[in-house]
Amino acid sequence: EAGVTQSPTHLIKTRGQQATLRCSPISGHTSVYWYQQALGLGLQFLLWYDEGEERNRGNFPPRFSGRQFPNYSSELNVNALELEDSALYLCASSALAGAYEQYFGPGTRLTVT
Amino acid sequence: LAKTTQPISMDSYEGQEVNITCSHNNIATNDYITWYQQFPSQGPRFIIQGYKTKVTNEVASLFIPADRKSSTLSLPRVSLSDTAVYYCLVGDYDKIIFGKGTRLHILP
């Protein structure tokens, strides 16, 4: 069974640009979660989507947004990129909505210059 | 939201049993306790989850006392490959906080 996949693996953008990150959950999983992990820091919860709707978001500004598609894949958009947005962005999925038993993808390394 | 407290780091030797304790004094009745393992530049990996008493799987055991104000992740006979950061999560899905975790370093 395929795990959570994310694309791209690496993304380099300049300050002020927009970044789009993509995630495909494990087949059958309807919940998708996004996390940010800046260098040396713990995981910060960004967004949770379930059945196409945003269920909750962490303490991040509105320029972090996303959506979930009918096939349960998800997209994270970061507008007006700032240098401190440089981080590993992780996507996870779960079989049950809001479950703590989540399965993570390999992440997208975003570098903002 | 239950806040968790874990040791920042721990060292142990290959072949030893390692116990990592997490404190969560204000755990709510419906909260589960979940542990993850993370290697550098990788996503966390689910290890184990429990509600009370003891849970065991092929990787670890989780001990939860009756008051549920703490929990202990037990890793039997660790190897060098168990060097990682271990996160304890407690709470509901309303707001998910991983915290900084415990950096476990296994020595030969």
Side-chain angles (χ1 to χ4, degrees), chain A residues 57-95:
Chain A
R57 66 180 293 130
N59 189 25
F60 281 85
R63 59 191 186 82
F64 287 83
S65 65
R67 53 180 171 167
Q68 186 178 33
F69 300 99
N71 66 353
Y72 303 114
S73 67
S74 178
E75 194 173 87
L76 174 68
N77 295 294
V78 187
N79 294 319
L81 285 166
E82 300 178 1
L83 296 178
E84 51 266 33
D85 296 332
S86 294
L88 180 67
Y89 288 83
L90 293 158
C91 171
S93 71
S94 67

Side-chain angles (χ1 to χ4, degrees), chain B residues 90-107:
Chain B
V90 173
D92 55 37
Y93 51 82
D94 194 43
K95 192 163 187 176
I96 303 169
I97 298 178
F98 267 76
K100 290 185 168 52
T102 296
R103 190 171 299 276
L104 176 64
H105 187 206
I106 304 302
L107 303 166

Side-chain angles (χ1 to χ4, degrees), chain A residues 20-84:
Chain A
T20 298
L21 289 65
R22 296 179 177 83
C23 170
S24 291
I26 291 172
S27 177
H29 286 192
T30 61
S31 274
V32 170
Y33 313 81
W34 287 95
Y35 296 86
Q36 180 198 65
Q37 187 170 36
L39 191 62
L41 299 179
L43 282 83
Q44 304 294 316
F45 167 66
L46 265 166
L47 291 159
W48 166 34
Y49 291 95
D50 183 68
E51 297 287 358
E53 294 191 12
E54 182 181 303
R55 299 296 185 181
N56 201 12
R57 66 180 293 130
N59 189 25
F60 281 85
R63 59 191 186 82
F64 287 83
S65 65
R67 53 180 171 167
Q68 186 178 33
F69 300 99
N71 66 353
Y72 303 114
S73 67
S74 178
E75 194 173 87
L76 174 68
N77 295 294
V78 187
N79 294 319
L81 285 166
E82 300 178 1
L83 296 178
E84 51 266 33

Side-chain angles (χ1 to χ4, degrees), chain A residues 11-16 81-83 85-86 110-113:
Chain A
L11 188 59
I12 300 174
K13 294 285 187 178
T14 57
R15 192 167 48 184
L81 285 166
E82 300 178 1
L83 296 178
D85 296 332
S86 294
L110 173 64
T111 301
V112 183
T113 62

